[in-house]
Amino acid sequence: IFLKKRFYQLKIILMGILTGLCNGLFGAGGGMIVVPSMVHFLDVDEHDAHATAIAVILPLAVISAFIYFRNGYLDFGKALPVAAEEFWVDLRAHISFTVYPPLAAKDIRAVYDCSRRKDDFLKLLLFAIGLVSGVVSGMGIGGGTVLIPAMIFLAGVSQHSAQGINLTVFIPTALVAICVHSKNKHIRFRLALPLMLAGAFGAVLGSILASSMPSRLLGKLFGGFLLGMGLYELFRKKKS
């Protein structure tokens, strides 16, 4: 029993460090590590795992964003407008699909009217990116897989800056999701706390590593990480 308990604690520590390392190094992706790890290694219900992941990653995002800011890779002039928009989108998404579904239809009609009125495909595309990113963030996975490439390829932001912006954007959307999931009792706070503590070490390490890397190399590593996680999900679904 003693060895079993120690092994359980070791798994939590390793999961936390890897989650923080990933979140600090790539500015995203911590949920891709901690959610399946909780499900497969700790036998946590998938819904609870998604909710708990948000509570775990929130303080890690704050730590990483601070280090990015200290190293000059966080532009609040760009981060705050995106964060405000995604916060509103995420809030509306939770209200629309959990409280009042007709609100979702109203949002879709508003987007359509905006696109017709202004005839601006780029603004419509950015709204769609914000919508997807906000909803995915609320699921505990993190919208960085959408937001970071969009900021790089559509807004011309550097890899480091895009990651710093995503960390900042995640904070308000996570607060919304935590309120909703906590009310529904899906967050396992006793599990989240040791994951946070272990993850803090990984977040500091990952953020320092990212800050010391050339943007081109960091971008390649980020792309490789997304490809690897995508292949993992593909084969996992086929197996199941």
Side-chain angles (χ1 to χ4, degrees), residues 31-227:
M32 295 182 178
I33 301 294
V34 72
V35 172
S37 296
M38 282 192 285
V39 173
H40 297 304
F41 299 122
L42 302 180
D43 295 324
V44 177
D45 174 75
E46 190 163 353
H47 198 164
D48 290 356
H50 281 288
T52 303
I54 304 172
V56 172
I57 296 171
L58 176 58
L60 306 186
V62 173
I63 293 171
S64 299
F66 177 74
I67 294 175
Y68 274 69
F69 173 71
R70 287 291 301 271
N71 287 283
Y73 292 126
L74 181 52
D75 184 353
F76 281 106
K78 294 179 180 179
L80 292 181
V82 177
E85 179 182 357
E86 189 166 334
F87 173 81
W88 176 243
V89 169
D90 196 47
L91 181 62
R92 291 292 292 264
H94 280 294
I95 295 174
S96 299
F97 295 105
T98 62
V99 179
Y100 187 55
L103 193 59
K106 182 179 179 181
D107 285 340
I108 294 172
R109 287 197 301 271
V111 176
Y112 177 71
D113 292 340
C114 178
S115 66
R116 290 190 62 186
R117 184 171 62 253
K118 296 183 178 180
D119 193 24
D120 192 340
F121 176 76
L122 180 58
K123 289 184 178 180
L124 179 61
L125 180 61
L126 290 174
F127 182 92
I129 291 171
L131 176 63
V132 174
S133 181
V135 172
V136 171
S137 292
M139 294 170 61
I141 301 173
T145 54
V146 175
L147 185 60
I148 291 176
M151 292 294 293
I152 293 171
F153 294 111
L154 297 180
V157 176
S158 70
Q159 182 72 35
H160 287 92
S161 296
Q163 292 183 184
I165 290 171
N166 182 68
L167 289 167
T168 307
V169 166
F170 177 79
I171 295 170
T173 60
L175 290 173
V176 174
I178 286 174
C179 290
V180 174
H181 290 305
S182 180
K183 183 179 179 181
N184 295 325
K185 302 184 185 303
H186 286 302
I187 300 179
R188 300 194 182 187
F189 288 103
R190 292 184 64 181
L191 174 60
L193 182 58
L195 286 170
M196 289 179 197
L197 295 176
F201 172 77
V204 172
L205 179 60
S207 301
I208 293 174
L209 286 174
S211 299
S212 64
M213 285 185 186
S215 185
R216 189 179 184 87
L217 175 59
L218 185 60
K220 290 181 178 180
L221 291 175
F222 178 76
F225 171 75
L226 292 184
L227 178 61

